[in-house]
Amino acid sequence: MKIDVSVKKKLYLAVVRFRHVLAARTAVANHTPGTATEQCVASLLVVWLCSVQVRPQTLLTMNRARVLSYMLSQTPPGTSLVTVRAWLLGGKRGKASAPPPPTALAAEPFLNGSSSNYVEEMYSAWLHDPRSVHQSWDTFFRNASAGARPGEAYTSPPSLAEPTPHHVPLSSIAPAVISPAVSETQITDKVIDDHLAVQGIIRAYQARGHLIAALDPLGIDREALAERPPTTMPSKIVVRNYSNAVDESDMERLFKLPMSTFVGGKETTLPLKEIIKRLEDAYCRSIGVEFMFINSLEQCNWIRQKFETPGIMAMNQQDKRLLLARLTRSHGFEAFLARKFSSEKRFGLEGCEILIPAMKQVIDRSTSLGVESFVMGMPHRGRLNVLSNVCRKPLEHIFTQFAGLDAGDEGSGDVKYHLGTYQERLNRVTNKNIRLAIVANPSHLEAVDPVVQGKTRAEQFYHGDSEGNKVLSILLHGDAAFSGQGIVYETFHLSELPEYTTHGTIHIVVNNQIGFTTDPRMSRSSPYCTDVARVVNAPIFHVNADDPEAVMHVCNVAADWRHTFHKDVVIDLVCYRRNGHNEIDEPMFTQPLMYNRIRKLKPVIDLYAEKLIKEEVVTAVEAKEVRDKYEKILEDAFTAAKSETRVFNKHWIDSPWSGFFEGKDPLKASPTGVHEDTITHICKRFSSAPPNASDFQIHRGLQRILSSRMEMVKARTVDWAMGEAVAFGSLLKEGIHVRLSGQDVERGTFSHRHHILHHQKVDKSQYNTLANLYPDQAPYTVCNSSLSEYAVLGFELGFSMTNPNALVIWEAQFGDFNNTAQCVIDQFISSGQSKWIRQTGLVLLLPHGLEGMGPEHSSARLERFLQMTSDDPDVLPAFSNDFAIRQLSDINWIVANCTTPANLFHILRRQIALPFRKPLILMTPKSLLRHPEAKSSFDAMLEDTEFQRIIPEDGPATQNAANVKRLIFCSGKVYYELTAARKEAGIEDKIAITRVEQIAPFPYDLIKQECDRYPEAELVWSQEEHKNMGAWSYIQPRIATALNHERHISKCDKFAIDSEGHESQSWYEYWFPWLFPTSSPTEASIPTKNQTSIVSDTRVLRYAGRAVSASPATGNKMTHTREVKQLLEDSLAL
Ligand SMILES: Cc1ncc(C[n+]2csc(CCOP(=O)(O)OP(=O)(O)O)c2C)c(N)n1
Ligand SMILES: [Mg+2]
């Protein structure tokens, strides 16, 4: 089968002339340099790709044969590729090319002219073995050999893919051309060009119609656009030059509508004028839809259908009245507060009152689709309104927050526009009970996003809602924060990860086109504030907030989208801010023109009421009645609130743990030790290959690790990884869900954990040992996270808020990375219970220790966590039997640095054994993971054992306590270095070394006991961290307090007025001590090195460790070694 060279040439020229294909060809030719034939094939391919929206790159990786075969396999049944040929042979309008040569080949469907080399190859292969070519080629050659007439040899192959309801067949590109009624000989260039132009116009509206939509109630965006050069005007950008192909004379002509549009409704053809009008209505009025970047044809079609279908936005009268009533409440609430508390900040919603009906619409619609619980996060703007009108928080609770009343319960409280809430109520529209939570948040904008996601995920997890049909997260954003805060991006990237997805979040942006005093042109570089959402292919619905019905439509579509595709979606409420940033701010200082315009605008409630009155949906009297009725509700609540004398923080809990605290002794923890059988069983499983080991091939290195673990089991010992595994396994056995999340946690950064075993030959075949310990155990989740700390830590915090009976752990890759999550640590974990009386038992595992690895990866910044603890260094709590647990109950978090696997086991289990929940900040080791001495016997985990807050010296020094010369306190891995050096120096009987395992709350009682045990010993605090870091600053005053019962060395104390009104020490006594000799030792009178501080009348505490430094550790190995040597010498030299 030979192809005439002249035909090939003409065909190629036709391809090149054809402008759409030309553009596409250029794109592909950039990637596929090659012959004309290849380009031709590539052009065809791109035409096809355009029709089915497959990324060309996907196919560029394939060779030609595969590409064509793939094309054929994907082309919908019934599609004739003759269409494409017709296109290719066409020319530009007005410059009609010569008709294709009337040869049999030229008249054949497109494959005959696409590539002679290729066809020849196929043909020879087919002659050799018909089964060696694709079925379509087989049919073609069979028909051609049988003498089929031109154009009839080709039959489209059966599709390999299941046809989808919204699949757009290739025929939709130029339907007129392939209409059976139109024979090929009738195809003129004009027909082709005009249909292509119409197709181009339709597509242009779909892709760029949002650029000319009337989104801004202020009209500012339009004016900014008017300043642009004409070629960049949106109207030009939208339709580009497609419209050059058709003109006014074509407006009344009927065009057959492609299947890529739904504007026709039931019509298959429409006059061009009507097509354009309908497109304008769908894409360029109050709604701007951004969705054509989505990589799924099905999803794109779904959206097209939701906006293009004629009449789809129409609203019935009842819904209009409901909308008016909701707007009335939204407006009335702010107006009432403005009247009653005119000088109070409330961050009102004026200018975006539509937010309330919008949220309610999303909730109504989602409830009707099966959602039962909504977890929401939002910033300050309109928060009180949302609490009242969306969540139905009692108005009295809100009004009392303005009254400046005393708190009636625990907690330091928070400002009213940061508080959370949890409400259960009946959704009147659907008559279903729903749960609504607004998560409390700090001022730090968007920080709550991942927390909401974690809480949502947890609710879904514990309700067995694996597809997110019952629990939905809604996140509200300000325009400036949405584009400005990186956490938004980090949170978006959790949205599709298997262990982090919430199966779609509905985002609503209150886009008032300003952030505090900054215009968008100064606050972002992207065209829209919502562009960040494009990274996850979320559709974005921009909508003019002054068109309430349009807003309701996008809310419905957003809820439906989330229900259908379980993916994120964004509603961008383009609005304005009627007042300043808050009610006492003057906006005219900075945005005079904008605010001149705002002052002339009527509130949306007035606009909408007028509209409905005009449409005779309501009367003016009815509209007023609705307002008056709500006004009365507000007044009544206001009066009732006046009789309140206290505010209660408990009214604002966002995650109530009903049943958790009830009936528990608040100061009694359960034991943490377990039965030996449990330890043995877990350890054996943890040391074994999967049960189907013969099929499941694990890595050889892992086999060695498992064997060495089994050796430990025989010796009844555990190392770090095994101690952790026994803690997890025993909790799982008791029905406690364990979730460990963070970067590379499945294997463990230091390759010590290996909780997921991977089949070496089969992809995605893996085995989670701890999830398979007992038949009726709780689930075990271990998941490698995205490379984020801020979002992932926030997420785990949120997860931990849902269920107190779960151990939720976030592990940092190295401890120092926790500082990129500082906001979550400061604003939520450290202070959350105090501000919002919300507890969490979240555990942070922070690898910490100076191992000579340089400034990074050495310090988890222990000092910062200690500095934020809420225990008073100067107050010694009363010693009692429940001293330890009382301390735990009182403090904001626990900070520990364990040195043994058994202590790790106990402290992890204690998180669940406590009758309350506290965050645990755990410094974890690196070299100790494999240190031969950092092992524990099973004995240390048995039933009668518990967590040791300190591990006292247990060597020869204890036999000779009275003569021990030095008592060293230390924490963490330096202990092993100190004991090794002490042993080498042969001074084990002279120096006692005691480990402080729980640093905060400080074990005053045990520290005092230790000091008393060695009465003659010099006290030394030895640490590897630099002096201005580590635990020294925390330890020093507390040891003093432990020994003194109270402390006298603070400089402030020296000038304090005592209870009788006398200065305890005057400033001149302090500054000139030699003039005023004193019998009691003071800082200035004791001749010591500056590393020493007085901790009692008789004892001093010396610091042994590195000097102060700006950097956490040296980057020089030699210096590191020298520093270690010096540290050991300082600590041990007698
Ligand atoms: C992380 C963070 N940085 C700065 C601020 C201070 N701040 C409070 S509101 C605000 C403007 C927010 O603008 P936008 O997100 O558009 O919300 P709007 O107030 O306009 O509703 C700023 C900068 C903050 N609260 N959080
Ligand atoms: Mg704003």
Side-chain angles (χ1 to χ4, degrees):
M1 184 166 179
K2 281 270 171 228
I3 295 179
D4 182 353
V5 175
S6 68
V7 175
K8 281 202 284 179
K9 213 168 155 190
K10 279 189 178 144
L11 178 58
Y12 175 60
L13 286 175
V15 168
V16 173
R17 275 207 318 274
F18 194 83
R19 66 174 182 280
H20 298 283
V21 177
L22 178 63
R25 181 188 66 77
T26 310
V28 172
N30 288 339
H31 300 282
T32 37
T35 64
T37 305
E38 280 172 332
Q39 287 168 352
C40 180
V41 172
S43 303
L44 288 166
L45 174 58
V46 171
V47 172
W48 175 78
L49 291 173
C50 291
S51 73
V52 296
Q53 297 194 346
V54 173
R55 288 153 58 92
Q57 286 85 341
T58 314
L59 298 179
L60 286 171
T61 53
M62 302 179 182
N63 63 29
R64 260 187 319 160
R66 276 194 63 207
V67 162
L68 276 173
S69 138
Y70 181 56
M71 282 170 65
L72 290 166
S73 71
Q74 294 290 304
T75 306
T79 300
S80 167
L81 292 177
V82 69
T83 305
V84 181
R85 182 186 65 86
W87 269 31
L88 295 176
L89 298 181
K92 201 176 171 188
R93 188 183 178 215
K95 287 186 199 164
S97 59
T103 64
L105 281 169
E108 274 295 344
F110 100 103
L111 287 176
N112 68 355
S114 65
S115 161
S116 64
N117 294 342
Y118 185 64
V119 172
E120 281 159 14
E121 270 169 41
M122 286 288 149
Y123 188 54
S124 348
W126 179 76
L127 284 175
H128 183 69
D129 176 10
R131 281 169 309 171
S132 68
V133 298
H134 190 273
Q135 197 188 336
S136 58
W137 285 114
D138 182 28
T139 314
F140 173 76
F141 292 134
R142 221 188 292 264
N143 291 346
S145 314
R149 285 189 306 143
E152 290 178 355
Y154 173 73
T155 315
S156 58
S159 170
L160 298 182
E162 283 290 305
T164 58
H166 300 295
H167 208 100
V168 178
L170 190 63
S171 55
S172 68
I173 296 173
V177 187
I178 60 155
S179 161
V182 183
S183 80
E184 285 190 39
T185 49
Q186 290 173 309
I187 300 165
T188 65
D189 291 344
K190 177 162 170 56
V191 170
I192 294 166
D193 264 6
D194 289 355
H195 273 86
L196 284 168
V198 172
Q199 166 105 16
I201 288 171
I202 293 171
R203 193 179 164 83
Y205 271 100
Q206 293 169 339
R208 293 182 296 280
H210 57 88
L211 291 172
I212 53 168
L215 301 177
D216 178 10
L218 301 176
I220 292 175
D221 59 349
R222 290 291 170 109
E223 280 164 28
L225 290 168
E227 291 164 15
R228 290 189 182 188
T231 48
T232 63
M233 286 292 284
S235 52
K236 281 277 175 232
I237 296 170
V238 169
V239 292
R240 291 221 179 110
N241 51 2
Y242 295 117
S243 54
N244 297 344
V246 288
D247 55 30
E248 274 305 311
S249 64
D250 295 312
M251 285 297 164
E252 301 300 335
R253 263 176 69 199
L254 278 181
F255 281 85
K256 181 151 186 183
L257 292 160
M259 284 183 67
S260 57
T261 185
F262 295 82
V263 289
K266 292 201 176 98
E267 310 293 329
T268 52
T269 55
L270 281 178
L272 179 56
K273 196 163 94 186
E274 183 63 17
I275 295 175
I276 291 177
K277 180 192 168 294
R278 293 188 185 189
L279 288 166
E280 292 268 335
D281 286 349
Y283 293 112
C284 306
R285 303 268 177 253
S286 298
I287 299 174
V289 193
E290 271 193 286
F291 70 105
M292 289 291 276
F293 52 82
I294 295 175
N295 293 328
S296 155
L297 177 63
E298 185 198 359
Q299 292 169 7
C300 284
N301 274 337
W302 186 93
I303 292 173
R304 287 174 183 144
Q305 191 249 323
K306 292 283 181 187
F307 288 95
E308 294 180 0
T309 306
I312 198 160
M313 296 190 203
M315 217 173 170
N316 66 35
Q317 296 211 349
Q318 193 187 340
D319 288 346
K320 287 183 183 190
R321 277 197 293 270
L322 181 65
L323 173 53
L324 181 70
R326 286 175 170 179
L327 258 184
T328 305
R329 281 182 169 246
S330 176
H331 178 91
F333 181 86
E334 300 296 350
F336 186 83
L337 288 184
R339 239 180 14 255
K340 298 288 183 190
F341 309 103
S342 56
S343 57
E344 279 274 345
K345 276 198 235 175
R346 68 187 147 86
F347 296 101
L349 200 48
E350 292 97 328
C352 195
E353 290 92 340
I354 197 63
L355 176 68
I356 301 300
M359 289 180 76
K360 289 177 86 83
Q361 190 65 33
V362 165
I363 290 169
D364 289 350
R365 184 77 160 212
S366 302
T367 307
S368 71
L369 295 169
V371 176
E372 295 164 1
S373 173
F374 298 84
V375 184
M376 295 176 275
M378 71 172 299
H380 48 285
R381 181 82 49 219
R383 192 173 176 117
L384 300 177
N385 207 330
V386 171
L387 287 170
S388 170
N389 282 321
V390 176
C391 302
R392 291 289 161 96
K393 177 133 200 94
L395 281 165
E396 291 83 344
H397 290 177
I398 296 172
F399 293 153
T400 48
Q401 287 289 328
F402 284 89
L405 302 175
D406 255 350
D409 54 2
E410 63 161 312
S412 57
D414 200 345
V415 291
K416 49 192 163 293
Y417 38 85
H418 289 162
L419 296 171
T421 198
Y422 173 84
Q423 306 285 323
E424 289 186 26
R425 69 172 176 83
L426 184 74
N427 180 275
R428 294 204 190 116
V429 174
T430 57
N431 212 23
K432 290 182 180 172
N433 268 322
I434 56 170
R435 305 187 296 278
L436 297 161
I438 295 204
V439 176
N441 61 253
S443 177
H444 296 53
L445 293 167
E446 307 288 351
V448 80
D449 298 0
V451 182
V452 167
Q453 300 298 57
K455 182 171 158 57
T456 308
R457 170 85 193 174
E459 262 204 51
Q460 291 173 349
F461 183 82
Y462 296 120
H463 282 93
D465 181 18
S466 57
E467 290 185 352
N469 291 322
K470 298 209 167 76
V471 188
L472 164 66
S473 56
I474 301 178
L475 284 178
L476 270 61
H477 314 269
D479 53 319
F482 198 47
S483 59
Q485 291 291 309
I487 186 64
V488 175
Y489 179 87
E490 288 189 32
T491 308
F492 267 119
H493 271 286
L494 297 179
S495 67
E496 306 252 355
L497 304 182
E499 293 295 345
Y500 301 83
T501 179
T502 53
H503 307 283
T505 298
I506 299 182
H507 299 264
I508 305 178
V509 184
V510 173
N511 179 0
N512 53 20
Q513 310 181 71
I514 192 166
F516 209 151
T517 67
T518 305
D519 294 341
R521 61 194 159 179
M522 294 300 153
S523 73
R524 64 171 188 260
S525 297
S526 59
Y528 291 108
C529 64
T530 51
D531 283 336
V532 62
R534 295 169 66 122
V535 294
V536 292
N537 267 229
I540 299 160
F541 307 141
H542 308 283
V543 57
N544 187 325
D546 269 4
D547 184 343
E549 292 178 14
V551 174
M552 292 309 108
H553 182 67
V554 300
C555 290
N556 286 337
V557 177
D560 291 352
W561 163 272
R562 194 271 176 187
H563 175 74
T564 308
F565 298 110
H566 294 284
K567 280 173 64 75
D568 284 26
V569 52
V570 179
I571 299 168
D572 178 21
L573 298 175
V574 187
C575 57
Y576 57 91
R577 190 186 71 191
R578 187 169 286 278
N579 300 316
H581 176 56
N582 58 56
E583 292 62 36
I584 33 193
D585 243 0
E586 172 52 83
M588 290 292 278
F589 285 148
T590 49
Q591 272 75 26
L593 302 187
M594 185 188 215
Y595 274 82
N596 272 330
R597 187 163 302 188
I598 288 174
R599 296 220 164 121
K600 291 183 197 130
L601 286 183
K602 280 189 182 176
V604 66
I605 178 67
D606 295 347
L607 297 175
Y608 193 58
E610 282 166 16
K611 178 177 182 296
L612 294 199
I613 292 165
K614 204 162 142 203
E615 287 177 13
E616 297 182 358
V617 176
V618 291
T619 63
V621 175
E622 281 167 345
K624 185 169 179 310
E625 268 170 18
V626 177
R627 283 186 199 206
D628 292 348
K629 198 172 147 205
Y630 184 55
E631 182 74 20
K632 177 158 182 344
I633 294 172
L634 290 164
E635 276 296 351
D636 291 350
F638 184 71
T639 313
K642 276 189 192 154
S643 58
E644 297 287 338
T645 54
R646 299 271 177 93
V647 288
F648 289 91
N649 293 324
K650 68 177 180 211
H651 289 158
W652 300 88
I653 294 179
D654 55 16
S655 310
W657 291 340
S658 51
F660 175 67
F661 298 104
E662 285 82 24
K664 277 203 178 98
D665 181 340
L667 294 177
K668 188 155 175 34
S670 317
T672 52
V674 296
H675 196 278
E676 173 137 7
D677 290 350
T678 305
I679 303 172
T680 313
H681 176 78
I682 295 167
C683 287
K684 277 192 178 159
R685 280 293 178 94
F686 193 56
S687 311
S688 308
N692 56 340
S694 52
D695 303 333
F696 192 105
Q697 194 178 327
I698 59 171
H699 191 273
R700 277 231 206 108
L702 204 54
Q703 276 165 357
R704 279 197 297 278
I705 291 173
L706 294 181
S707 319
S708 68
R709 280 181 184 167
M710 200 54 99
E711 289 304 310
M712 279 192 280
V713 183
K714 286 181 196 148
R716 294 182 68 254
T717 55
V718 291
D719 66 359
W720 205 265
M722 203 119 92
E724 179 189 78
V726 183
F728 292 0
S730 55
L731 289 170
L732 294 168
K733 179 172 185 271
E734 291 160 21
I736 301 295
H737 171 227
V738 179
R739 177 180 163 100
L740 171 61
S741 150
Q743 291 151 32
D744 308 294
V745 294
E746 293 177 7
R747 188 201 75 171
T749 299
F750 313 102
S751 202
H752 68 292
R753 185 175 283 132
H754 296 289
H755 281 194
I756 299 288
L757 309 182
H758 293 262
H759 196 309
Q760 295 295 299
K761 291 276 158 52
V762 183
D763 189 28
K764 294 184 200 150
S765 175
Q766 51 195 43
Y767 184 72
N768 180 342
T769 311
L770 295 182
N772 292 285
L773 296 172
Y774 299 94
D776 52 353
Q777 69 170 76
Y780 174 53
T781 311
V782 56
C783 42
N784 291 346
S785 73
S786 68
L787 209 168
S788 146
E789 287 80 25
Y790 191 174
V792 177
L793 179 57
F795 186 97
E796 301 311 334
L797 172 74
F799 202 104
S800 76
M801 280 155 45
T802 298
N803 175 10
N805 292 315
L807 182 66
V808 182
I809 304 171
W810 174 72
E811 181 174 71
Q813 184 116 78
F814 285 96
D816 49 358
F817 292 120
N818 82 65
N819 58 16
T820 70
Q822 197 68 51
C823 177
V824 177
I825 294 167
D826 292 359
Q827 262 59 40
F828 292 87
I829 302 177
S830 151
S831 53
Q833 184 178 354
S834 177
K835 293 193 287 192
W836 309 314
I837 53 170
R838 173 213 282 166
Q839 298 192 10
T840 166
L842 181 68
V843 178
L844 273 64
L845 298 183
L846 306 177
H848 173 82
L850 280 75
E851 313 270 12
M853 289 174 75
E856 320 309 338
H857 312 332
S858 293
S859 170
R861 295 299 192 171
L862 170 64
E863 60 279 1
R864 279 216 285 260
F865 292 98
L866 292 172
Q867 192 249 332
M868 280 194 278
T869 57
S870 63
D871 59 339
D872 188 333
D874 300 336
V875 173
L876 187 66
F879 292 164
S880 61
N881 287 344
D882 53 18
F883 177 83
I885 193 162
R886 202 174 274 279
Q887 267 194 314
L888 290 172
S889 169
D890 290 347
I891 204 161
N892 57 335
W893 59 18
I894 305 161
V895 184
N897 190 357
C898 299
T899 56
T900 70
N903 235 10
L904 170 74
F905 160 86
H906 283 294
I907 201 166
L908 289 174
R909 284 184 53 82
R910 192 180 71 175
Q911 283 300 97
I912 299 299
L914 291 171
F916 45 79
R917 293 289 172 257
K918 288 287 158 180
L920 169 62
I921 314 297
L922 205 52
M923 303 291 123
T924 56
K926 291 169 281 181
S927 57
L928 292 198
L929 299 175
R930 296 185 172 79
H931 196 290
E933 284 173 38
K935 292 197 172 144
S936 298
S937 159
F938 282 9
D939 293 337
M941 301 188 287
L942 293 178
E943 280 157 322
D944 54 350
T945 59
E946 61 178 6
F947 174 68
Q948 291 181 275
R949 289 179 289 146
I950 68 164
I951 305 184
E953 171 66 58
D954 62 353
T958 56
Q959 312 302 316
N960 184 28
N963 295 321
V964 162
K965 298 212 168 341
R966 186 172 298 155
L967 168 59
I968 298 178
F969 290 110
C970 65
S971 190
K973 86 156 200 324
V974 72
Y975 166 78
Y976 291 97
E977 287 157 355
L978 287 168
T979 47
R982 179 180 64 172
K983 187 172 181 189
E984 201 178 309
I987 47 176
E988 285 173 300
D989 57 337
K990 298 192 177 59
I991 297 182
I993 304 179
T994 288
R995 288 168 265 180
V996 182
E997 303 273 301
Q998 175 181 294
I999 309 172
F1002 192 67
Y1004 289 104
D1005 50 343
L1006 304 180
I1007 295 286
K1008 176 150 172 46
Q1009 265 176 29
E1010 284 296 285
C1011 294
D1012 293 349
R1013 181 170 300 153
Y1014 306 99
E1016 298 303 319
E1018 175 199 19
L1019 303 178
V1020 169
W1021 172 258
S1022 179
Q1023 69 174 32
E1024 59 174 359
E1025 299 90 348
H1026 285 278
K1027 191 177 177 188
N1028 52 333
M1029 302 169 194
W1032 168 240
S1033 308
Y1034 180 86
I1035 290 286
Q1036 183 191 30
R1038 285 169 176 80
I1039 291 189
T1041 300
L1043 300 185
N1044 264 345
H1045 290 247
E1046 59 183 300
R1047 229 154 45 93
H1048 296 294
I1049 59 167
S1050 133
K1051 286 176 186 172
C1052 292
D1053 291 350
K1054 291 177 194 305
F1055 313 125
I1057 309 290
D1058 67 22
S1059 54
E1060 269 132 41
H1062 304 117
E1063 275 186 9
S1064 51
Q1065 187 185 21
S1066 65
W1067 64 269
Y1068 41 85
E1069 279 176 303
Y1070 176 71
W1071 288 112
F1072 308 105
W1074 59 92
L1075 296 176
F1076 304 94
T1078 156
S1079 54
S1080 65
T1082 68
E1083 242 176 330
S1085 64
I1086 293 224
T1088 60
K1089 290 193 273 177
N1090 63 2
Q1091 287 146 308
T1092 308
S1093 69
I1094 311 144
V1095 289
S1096 81
D1097 289 353
T1098 53
R1099 303 189 83 159
V1100 292
L1101 172 66
R1102 185 161 66 80
Y1103 169 82
R1106 287 175 167 89
V1108 294
S1109 166
S1111 168
T1114 174
N1116 181 301
K1117 278 259 178 223
M1118 290 286 285
T1119 310
H1120 172 77
T1121 315
R1122 224 176 13 251
E1123 284 175 356
V1124 174
K1125 193 160 165 273
Q1126 185 65 46
L1127 152 68
L1128 296 175
E1129 265 174 36
D1130 278 359
S1131 305
L1132 299 172
L1134 288 171

